[in-house]
Amino acid sequence: YALGSESRAMEELSEFYARVSGIVSQRPRSAAENSTASAVGSCKDYGHPGAEPGATIVPDCHHAEGCFFCDKFAVHADEQDVRKLASCLHCIGRTTHLSESKEHHEAIYGPVIKRIETILHYVADLSDTKGAMVIRVRAEVEEDGELDPYWARKLDFLIDLGVVRA
């Protein structure tokens, strides 16, 4: 019994790792690429979301958090997409106080935060150069406020509304 559960756990971990590696593209961006840019990466088939196996959030083309669990979601292992992901994390962190409770926030954003962290760790583990880039971009976002333009506008809007402090 114990061997069965351990082997199943390893199989599930291998499947998860394969899904994450399928999300991250190491190829350079191309103008001819058949994908649509999004706030958190890109989409291989915008408007036709499909749930990946074991998705904890229903894929939705109108909400960024739905992208993370869609089988069409893709991320380039480059500064642009790392900044998008780090900026999304930053904005989630800045809006934690808006949730009804810590449990409510965890239920809604916990899976998204975990997915973003997993993708960023995967990119960082690709090479020393990629690892240094992820560390640098995360610091630029968190410490210097150098967010991706989409997330900067979103945060500015929340600040203007008085929902988040500057």
Side-chain angles (χ1 to χ4, degrees):
Y1 179 77
L3 288 177
S5 63
E6 182 179 336
S7 64
R8 181 65 190 143
M10 289 183 70
E11 186 177 308
E12 289 174 357
L13 186 60
S14 294
E15 290 170 5
F16 175 75
Y17 186 75
R19 283 195 308 272
V20 171
S21 68
I23 289 170
V24 178
S25 172
Q26 295 184 59
R27 293 175 309 161
R29 246 174 242 282
S30 164
E33 197 170 294
N34 194 17
S35 65
T36 304
S38 78
V40 291
S42 60
C43 180
K44 298 175 193 171
D45 192 12
Y46 184 79
H48 302 94
E52 68 171 25
T56 55
I57 293 179
V58 177
D60 177 358
C61 295
H62 303 291
H63 299 95
E65 59 271 11
C67 293
F68 294 109
F69 300 92
C70 180
D71 60 2
K72 312 296 187 312
F73 177 61
V75 171
H76 282 86
D78 64 12
E79 185 170 331
Q80 181 179 348
D81 282 357
V82 167
R83 188 170 304 280
K84 287 179 182 183
L85 295 171
S87 297
C88 179
L89 272 179
H90 179 78
C91 288
I92 290 171
R94 294 284 302 271
T95 59
T96 302
H97 67 282
L98 300 174
S99 296
E100 296 172 14
S101 65
K102 184 177 180 180
E103 293 77 20
H104 180 254
H105 185 268
E106 178 61 29
I108 293 174
Y109 293 108
V112 171
I113 293 168
K114 288 175 188 164
R115 179 56 59 98
I116 294 171
E117 289 291 356
T118 299
I119 294 168
L120 290 174
H121 282 107
Y122 181 84
V123 171
D125 286 345
L126 290 173
S127 70
D128 291 344
T129 304
K130 297 284 185 191
M133 181 263 299
V134 169
I135 290 169
R136 177 181 52 77
V137 169
R138 289 187 80 163
E140 289 171 356
V141 168
E142 288 299 321
E143 298 166 17
D144 304 331
E146 295 179 25
L147 278 67
D148 170 77
Y150 171 87
W151 293 103
R153 283 189 307 274
K154 193 168 197 84
L155 187 58
D156 286 344
F157 177 71
L158 293 172
I159 291 169
D160 289 345
L161 288 176
V163 177
V164 174
R165 288 189 193 166

